[in-house]
């Protein structure tokens, strides 16, 4: 039996860990999946996707900088992709292209399952109001936190996100608020998620130190061989810190589920990736 073809498309793409992650999922589940890298030119995303589809491809993961174009290309969107305004998973169905976004689900699953911290009843601080932040709000709300505070350097963007999700927050019985950095409460949160692009250039988003306590999980969506600046900062304030490697694995597991209807176990793949990263230090 020949394998069904999938790939991750982006630019750049050479360092993507997705092919290795999906190869491990395929081996673990016995699903006949082949998964490659696809480099699309910056002005050639749609053509590359259509060519892959025409050649029999079954689905794609989409990464930087094409998640908005993928959102526009999809004929149907999952509610979480519509809320995120971005698509990281395309599935080619007989009746068209289905667009989904598994990033936020991956974050929530990593925090709840791999790190053992529940969102239910939690006070959550979300730092950042760009694409990454927008993608995680609905999956967080679905877990019934007590309160989500969205804080951004540019307050106006935080207000826009709050307005977008006010209705959903009411539905899930969650308070939603925030604004500029002064909107951070001067007492510890249960979960703080850094969704700013800050860690890439090692900048810390402004945040009251009293937001971090011994019972706080401080989660950085970035990851690297070494703890990020945000993680070191959180630990210096007594909080527990985690990076976004588990989110990477869990969003992949959820994409695999969207394509195959089978959910692979993320934990062993995460452990293997962690060991590989540690060996690079
Ligand atoms: P992404 O898709 O990664 O979220 P983005 O949409 O460009 O990228 O959003 C970047 C986010 O990181 C924004 O919330 C941005 O804050 P502004 O809206 O004020 O620009 C935030 N960010 C980037 N650099 C930052 C820094 N040095 N300190 C604080 N926030 C920063």
């Amino acid at each position: 039996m020949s394998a069904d073809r999938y790939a991750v498309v982006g630019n750049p793409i050479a360092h993507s860990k997705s092919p290795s992650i999906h190869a491990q999922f395929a081996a673990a589940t016995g699903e006949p999946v082949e998964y490659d890298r696809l480099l699309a030119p910056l002005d050639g995303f749609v053509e590359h996707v259509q060519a892959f589809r025409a050649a029999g491809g079954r689905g794609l993961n989409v990464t930087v900088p094409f998640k908005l174009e993928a959102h526009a290309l999809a004929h149907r969107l999952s509610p979480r992709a519509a809320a995120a305004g971005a698509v990281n998973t395309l599935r080619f169905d007989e009746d068209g292209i289905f667009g989904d976004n598994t990033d936020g689900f991956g974050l929530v699953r990593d925090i709840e399952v791999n790190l053992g911290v529940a969102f239910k009843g939690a006070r959550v601080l979300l730092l950042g109001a760009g694409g990454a932040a927008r993608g995680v709000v609905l999956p967080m709300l679905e877990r019934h936190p007590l309160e989500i505070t969205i804080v951004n350097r540019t307050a106006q963007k935080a207000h826009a996100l709050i307005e977008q999700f006010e209705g959903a927050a009411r539905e899930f019985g969650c308070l939603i608020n925030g604004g500029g950095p002064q909107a951070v409460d001067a007492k510890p949160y249960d979960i703080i998620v850094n969704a700013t692009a800050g860690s890439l250039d090692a900048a810390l988003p402004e945040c009251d130190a009293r937001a971090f306590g011994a019972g706080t999980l401080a989660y950085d969506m970035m990851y690297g061989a070494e703890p990020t600046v945000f993680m070191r900062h959180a630990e210096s304030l007594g909080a527990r810190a985690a990076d976004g490697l588990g989110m990477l694995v869990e969003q992949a597991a959820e994409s695999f589920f969207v394509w195959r209807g089978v959910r692979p176990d993320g934990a062993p793949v995460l452990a293997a990736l962690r060991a590989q990263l540690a060996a690079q230090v």
Side-chain angles (χ1 to χ4, degrees):
M1 185 167 62
S2 71
D4 294 332
R5 289 183 60 214
Y6 299 86
V8 57
V9 58
N11 186 335
I13 203 64
H15 297 291
S16 171
K17 297 186 192 306
S18 293
S20 148
I21 293 172
H22 282 281
Q24 292 176 68
F25 288 163
T29 59
E31 288 289 304
V33 161
E34 185 188 308
Y35 190 107
D36 299 313
R37 285 185 179 83
L38 211 60
L39 176 70
L42 294 177
D43 61 356
F45 171 73
V46 171
E47 291 80 353
H48 263 63
V49 170
Q50 296 296 16
F52 182 78
R53 184 184 181 202
R58 301 287 294 270
L60 288 167
N61 278 134
V62 181
T63 187
V64 179
F66 298 126
K67 291 184 185 183
L68 300 183
E69 279 186 78
H71 178 269
L73 180 66
H75 304 126
R76 279 191 306 128
L77 290 171
S78 67
R80 60 194 180 188
V87 156
N88 80 332
T89 304
L90 293 170
R91 190 182 66 214
F92 304 131
D93 296 337
E94 277 176 15
D95 59 347
I97 301 178
F98 173 66
D100 201 349
N101 192 318
T102 64
D103 286 330
F105 179 93
L107 169 97
V108 167
R109 190 168 168 92
D110 188 37
I111 289 178
E112 292 206 318
V113 177
N114 297 325
L115 297 166
V117 176
F119 274 89
K120 190 173 171 56
R123 289 177 59 250
V124 179
L125 175 61
L126 179 59
L127 300 172
R134 185 176 170 191
V136 302
V137 180
L138 188 61
M140 283 182 177
L141 285 172
E142 285 171 346
R143 306 302 298 163
H144 297 278
L146 182 67
E147 180 179 7
I148 297 182
T149 301
I150 303 175
V151 163
N152 195 45
R153 178 175 62 182
T154 311
Q156 183 208 338
K157 279 169 67 180
H159 289 303
L161 267 197
I162 292 162
E163 201 179 311
Q164 181 191 338
F165 288 102
E166 249 163 11
R170 208 173 304 123
E171 190 185 318
F172 290 108
C174 174
L175 295 169
I176 190 162
N177 52 39
Q182 74 290 345
V184 173
D185 259 349
K187 63 175 189 194
Y189 288 83
D190 300 305
I191 300 170
I192 303 178
V193 172
N194 181 22
T196 70
S199 288
L200 280 178
D201 57 11
L204 265 182
E206 186 185 339
C207 180
D208 194 317
R210 290 167 293 184
F212 298 82
T216 304
L217 172 68
Y219 190 100
D220 199 338
M221 284 199 197
M222 301 291 159
Y223 67 86
E226 309 266 13
T228 67
V229 174
F230 175 76
M231 289 170 67
R232 285 202 297 268
H233 175 68
E235 281 170 348
S236 77
L237 296 170
R240 174 184 176 200
D243 71 7
L245 192 66
M247 175 179 176
L248 173 76
V249 172
E250 296 298 347
Q251 63 78 28
E254 182 69 0
S255 293
F256 196 95
F257 179 72
V258 168
W259 293 324
R260 311 299 302 180
V262 175
R263 188 186 301 283
D265 185 4
V269 176
L270 176 55
L273 272 184
R274 183 69 69 199
Q276 266 173 30
L277 265 186
Q280 287 171 18
V281 176

